[in-house]
């Protein structure tokens, strides 16, 4: 279990077992949805300091001119990986195991502009374990499709 000691002057705070981030690490990516004037925008977010568990969120959105753009189908896959020697990973929601240290959770919506996935990652293994959260998203409308990706690392 990781323990992080944060000090300010003579006051110390010990954070234990918290999934609430003190700050966030994020990444974003986008690509055009051909022939529509819209863009597929993806984002990946995770806490950057945690004692035991780390919250994460991924999102796929379609936007045109700063406004929501409805598509036939939009999907998002969150891939969360624990990094480190003999790292393991538990995830809530549990998702699909890819390996001992990697899980995926997917969500697909129809006739809307957004698909989100969020949860709590519980990395284990070495004392120096960290996580990486990646977001892979796609949108489909009128026979065209586009995909984008983003990854946040602590």
């Amino acid at each position: 279990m990781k323990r992080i000691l944060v000090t300010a002057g003579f006051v110390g705070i010990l954070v234990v077992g918290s999934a609430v981030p003190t700050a966030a690490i994020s990444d974003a990516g986008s690509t055009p949805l051909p022939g529509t004037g819209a863009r597929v925008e993806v984002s990946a977010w995770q806490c950057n300091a945690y004692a035991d568990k780390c919250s994460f969120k991924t999102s796929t959105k379609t936007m045109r001119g700063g406004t929501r753009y409805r598509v036939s189908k939009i999907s998002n896959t969150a891939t969360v990986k624990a990094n480190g020697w003999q790292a393991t990973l538990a995830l809530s929601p549990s998702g699909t195991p890819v390996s001992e240290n990697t899980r995926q959770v997917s969500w697909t919506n129809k006739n809307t502009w957004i698909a989100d996935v969020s949860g709590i990652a519980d990395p284990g293994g070495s004392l120096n374990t960290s996580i990486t959260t990646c977001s892979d998203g796609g949108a489909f409308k009128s026979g065209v499709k586009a995909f984008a990706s983003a990854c946040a690392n602590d």
Side-chain angles (χ1 to χ4, degrees), residues 56-119:
F56 69 91
K57 181 177 181 179
T58 61
S59 180
T60 303
K61 299 175 182 175
T62 47
M63 305 291 287
R64 182 169 67 183
T67 60
R68 301 171 180 176
Y69 182 76
R70 185 182 299 266
V71 293
S72 305
K73 183 176 172 183
I74 189 165
S75 62
N76 182 264
T77 299
T79 303
V80 182
K81 179 181 180 182
N83 308 302
W85 184 69
Q86 294 184 334
T88 61
L89 180 69
L91 207 63
S92 175
S94 61
T96 302
V98 174
S99 66
E100 187 70 21
N101 67 330
T102 306
R103 301 286 185 271
Q104 287 185 328
V105 181
S106 297
W107 188 258
T108 299
N109 282 331
K110 293 183 178 181
N111 299 315
T112 192
W113 66 284
I114 190 168
D116 287 342
V117 174
S118 62

Side-chain angles (χ1 to χ4, degrees), residues 7-153:
T7 61
F10 294 104
V11 178
I13 301 170
L14 182 62
V15 180
V16 179
S18 174
V20 178
T22 58
I25 297 173
S26 63
D27 189 33
S30 68
T31 191
L33 185 58
T36 65
R39 296 189 68 77
V40 177
E41 301 176 355
V42 297
S43 59
W45 171 94
Q46 69 182 40
C47 64
N48 76 339
Y50 55 94
D52 185 30
K53 296 175 177 67
C54 183
S55 54
F56 69 91
K57 181 177 181 179
T58 61
S59 180
T60 303
K61 299 175 182 175
T62 47
M63 305 291 287
R64 182 169 67 183
T67 60
R68 301 171 180 176
Y69 182 76
R70 185 182 299 266
V71 293
S72 305
K73 183 176 172 183
I74 189 165
S75 62
N76 182 264
T77 299
T79 303
V80 182
K81 179 181 180 182
N83 308 302
W85 184 69
Q86 294 184 334
T88 61
L89 180 69
L91 207 63
S92 175
S94 61
T96 302
V98 174
S99 66
E100 187 70 21
N101 67 330
T102 306
R103 301 286 185 271
Q104 287 185 328
V105 181
S106 297
W107 188 258
T108 299
N109 282 331
K110 293 183 178 181
N111 299 315
T112 192
W113 66 284
I114 190 168
D116 287 342
V117 174
S118 62
I120 304 293
D122 186 1
S126 76
L127 293 175
N128 296 318
T129 302
S130 65
I131 68 166
T132 299
T133 302
C134 293
S135 177
D136 294 298
F140 310 87
K141 181 161 184 163
S142 303
V144 296
K145 58 189 171 190
F147 302 92
S149 297
C151 287
N153 301 341

